Amino acid sequence: MSNLTILYHFAFHPGSRTARLALGEARIEFSEELVKPWEDDCPLHRLNPAGMPPVLTVADRGKILTLCEADAILGWIEDRAKGDVLMPGDLFERAEVRRLTTWFNRRFIDDVDAVLLHERMEKPLLRLGPPEARMLREGREALKVHLAMLEGLAASREWLAGRRLSQADLIAAGHLSVLDYFGEIAWASYPSLKTWYSKLKSRPCFRSLLSDRFPGVQPASWYTDLDF
């Protein structure tokens, strides 16, 4: 199946990381095609009208199924299993997963990723000049607000949405793992969240993320440490 299921992704794109984590957690074999969405000849432009990663193509009953971006991939994983692989059975926890998913897809991306990842990652890739100190300060202040909210959840629950690992944890990890690579998270200030993240880092699905390297930037010293 590995050569029939292909994930087109950019290693440091949070949604791409979410897809990799979810496929790994669901034990679905897949091949990887690394892409650069900003290049004119990127295959994403013919696969996804929005031109964004990740995209998963699946050979299914003689047809090619094209799943565009993380939400579609997560939904396919659940549909494929006909069960609650990454969604809890409890109605309250399912609602909480959806609430947290919306939070990350809207507020976290707008408040944090669009600022910090633009300055730390997109600018070097697109040769837009050095990071702006003011924007870095704003992004880091916004990140603190979101981390404080996540700390509260991690302190009161086994996993972010409740008693079991869910899509919410993988989505959060997709975002936080990129920021962690660049050393943007002061884990000592968020002990419960650190414990949650350490549990995720120790899962087999996380291994490939720890081997990612961004051109010209070494990861934070604790990035690959499971007992950081």
Side-chain angles (χ1 to χ4, degrees), residues 103 107-108 111-112 139-151 190:
W103 168 14
R107 290 297 305 276
F108 198 93
D111 296 348
V112 180
R140 286 165 179 162
E141 287 303 311
L143 175 60
K144 288 179 183 178
V145 173
H146 286 278
L147 291 177
M149 295 174 69
L150 290 169
E151 171 70 11
Y190 311 98

Side-chain angles (χ1 to χ4, degrees), residues 22 46 80 83 107 117 136 167:
R46 62 177 172 79
R80 175 182 180 274
R107 290 297 305 276
L117 294 188
L136 289 174
Q167 292 181 9

Side-chain angles (χ1 to χ4, degrees), residues 1 5 22-30 56 76-77 80:
M1 183 177 178
T5 302
L23 291 166
E25 191 66 27
R27 299 180 181 179
I28 297 173
E29 294 184 6
F30 64 98
L56 186 72
W76 172 77
I77 290 172
R80 175 182 180 274

Side-chain angles (χ1 to χ4, degrees), residues 10-21 104 108 113 117 121 143 147 150 169-185 187 196-197 200-201 205-206 208-210 212-213 219-220 222-224 228:
F10 175 58
F12 287 87
H13 176 254
S16 294
R17 287 191 157 207
T18 295
R20 292 162 68 193
L21 290 171
F104 272 96
F108 198 93
D113 291 348
L117 294 188
M121 183 174 67
L143 175 60
L147 291 177
L150 290 169
D169 299 286
L170 304 184
I171 291 168
H175 290 269
L176 297 185
S177 62
V178 179
L179 294 163
D180 185 49
Y181 182 94
F182 290 101
E184 291 290 347
I185 302 178
W187 292 108
W196 163 84
Y197 190 63
L200 267 175
K201 284 177 72 173
C205 68
F206 214 100
S208 68
L209 274 63
L210 299 180
D212 292 339
R213 292 296 180 271
W222 59 83
Y223 179 71
T224 60
F228 71 112

Side-chain angles (χ1 to χ4, degrees), residues 32 90 92 102 118 121 124 137 153 167 175 179:
E32 299 182 52
D90 180 82
F92 175 85
T102 301
H118 175 69
M121 183 174 67
R137 285 195 299 271
L153 294 178
Q167 292 181 9
H175 290 269
L179 294 163

Side-chain angles (χ1 to χ4, degrees), residues 2 6 16 34 38 44 55 72 79 111 119 152 160 174 203 207:
S2 60
I6 304 172
S16 294
L34 294 174
W38 59 92
L44 288 179
V55 171
D79 293 342
D111 296 348
E119 296 295 326
L160 292 183
R203 298 180 78 86
R207 290 173 186 161

